[in-house]
Amino acid sequence: MVKITSKELIDVVKYTDRKIILAEKALAVEGGYKTGYFILDLETLEKEVVTKNAYLIKKFGNSAFKKIGESIADFTDCEAVILPNRNVFIIFSNGQCAMYDRNGEMLWQKTLTYNDKTVTGLAADGEYVWCCCREEDCVIRYLADGNKLNLDLRIGSREADTFTAPCFVSSDEEGIYVCCKNKLRKINRSDFIVSDVSEKLSGLKRFYRFGKYSLICTNEGAYIGE
């Protein structure tokens, strides 16, 4: 693995098949923190500065990015999925979520919970989205039916050891990746079998898979591997 930054990555968005946009948290000269936006070439590991608007367009879509970006105070704190019908579903780290139409008009908002526990995380899967519930030790699939979001499938529970404190989910063509306590697990798309991708990953916060490349975010920084 190659370390690409020691700073905290607060969001990652696909740019092209071989490039991603990183939203990186850094100390500001005047104090506090600021967000820097960079394009990372996964093959060469070269980084270049990119505008905030380029990041927002890839995250929310060409038609919706302006209105959604203006309506959200901290748009790097939310995960977003552009659905097949071009609606945009977003969810924040506190469980607050919203559905927007393709033009960025809000359709509804609420707090997403399971057994009264906060649901967070977001992974795209066609007309479905996957989230996780840390306190219930489970991962949940929802069906985006038109403008609605309906619970479709749950994997794991507090009575099972399938997932332990899942905190983040992502997806690629093969499966759904779940960051758990010091472990990374994968749900196979075809049969929903859960297997280990890697064990003993201390401080694991986020994991993404882009083709043959993996992006691993930990408390110590972010790494690219194959």
Side-chain angles (χ1 to χ4, degrees):
M1 292 193 301
V2 178
K3 192 171 189 176
I4 57 170
T5 183
S6 296
K7 298 173 183 176
E8 180 183 358
L9 292 185
I10 50 181
D11 200 12
V12 177
V13 177
K14 183 178 179 180
Y15 187 66
T16 66
D17 286 342
R18 60 176 280 181
K19 294 182 178 181
I20 56 178
I21 298 180
L22 310 175
E24 192 176 85
K25 186 176 180 180
L27 287 171
V29 176
E30 62 275 13
Y33 292 91
K34 64 177 182 179
T35 302
Y37 304 95
F38 303 90
I39 290 178
L40 175 72
D41 188 311
L42 294 167
E43 293 185 7
T44 65
L45 299 186
E46 293 178 348
K47 287 173 67 176
E48 60 178 294
V49 176
V50 71
T51 65
K52 178 183 72 175
N53 276 350
Y55 158 78
L56 291 175
I57 288 171
K58 287 298 181 180
K59 183 165 185 170
F60 300 128
N62 285 300
S63 301
F65 85 93
K66 189 172 183 180
K67 282 191 176 180
I68 296 178
E70 290 173 349
S71 67
I72 299 175
D74 188 2
F75 41 73
T76 59
D77 182 49
C78 71
E79 304 289 332
V81 165
I82 302 173
L83 298 165
N85 65 0
R86 308 309 295 169
N87 280 355
V88 182
F89 177 69
I90 69 168
I91 186 167
F92 289 86
S93 56
N94 62 1
Q96 291 185 354
C97 65
M99 184 78 78
Y100 295 83
D101 69 17
R102 66 181 64 195
N103 296 313
E105 298 290 345
M106 183 185 288
L107 300 172
W108 53 261
Q109 63 178 340
K110 64 180 181 179
T111 299
L112 198 60
T113 61
Y114 178 75
N115 287 346
D116 295 324
K117 304 296 192 303
T118 300
V119 171
T120 60
L122 186 59
D125 185 13
E127 60 187 4
Y128 298 96
V129 295
W130 293 79
C131 304
C132 56
C133 185
R134 187 185 187 106
E135 292 181 83
E136 290 291 316
D137 290 335
C138 69
V139 174
I140 304 167
R141 188 175 79 167
Y142 295 90
L143 171 64
D145 182 13
N147 297 333
K148 300 178 181 179
L149 193 71
N150 301 317
L151 193 152
D152 175 73
L153 175 70
R154 188 208 73 212
I155 302 177
S157 69
R158 284 187 291 180
E159 288 71 41
D161 59 359
T162 311
F163 304 110
T164 303
C167 63
F168 186 80
V169 291
S170 64
S171 61
D172 69 358
E173 293 78 10
E174 294 184 358
I176 311 302
Y177 300 91
V178 186
C179 294
C180 300
K181 185 178 180 181
N182 298 329
K183 179 184 288 191
L184 177 65
R185 308 211 78 192
K186 176 183 174 182
I187 303 171
N188 188 291
R189 280 182 183 272
S190 60
D191 55 18
F192 304 117
I193 291 176
V194 181
S195 60
D196 286 336
V197 177
S198 183
E199 295 190 50
K200 299 180 180 179
L201 282 173
S202 179
L204 178 63
K205 299 176 72 174
R206 293 168 175 254
F207 175 88
Y208 302 86
R209 187 75 181 169
F210 302 101
K212 66 178 182 178
Y213 298 101
S214 297
L215 173 60
I216 301 170
C217 303
T218 71
N219 292 330
E220 285 72 41
Y223 305 81
I224 293 290
E226 291 190 19

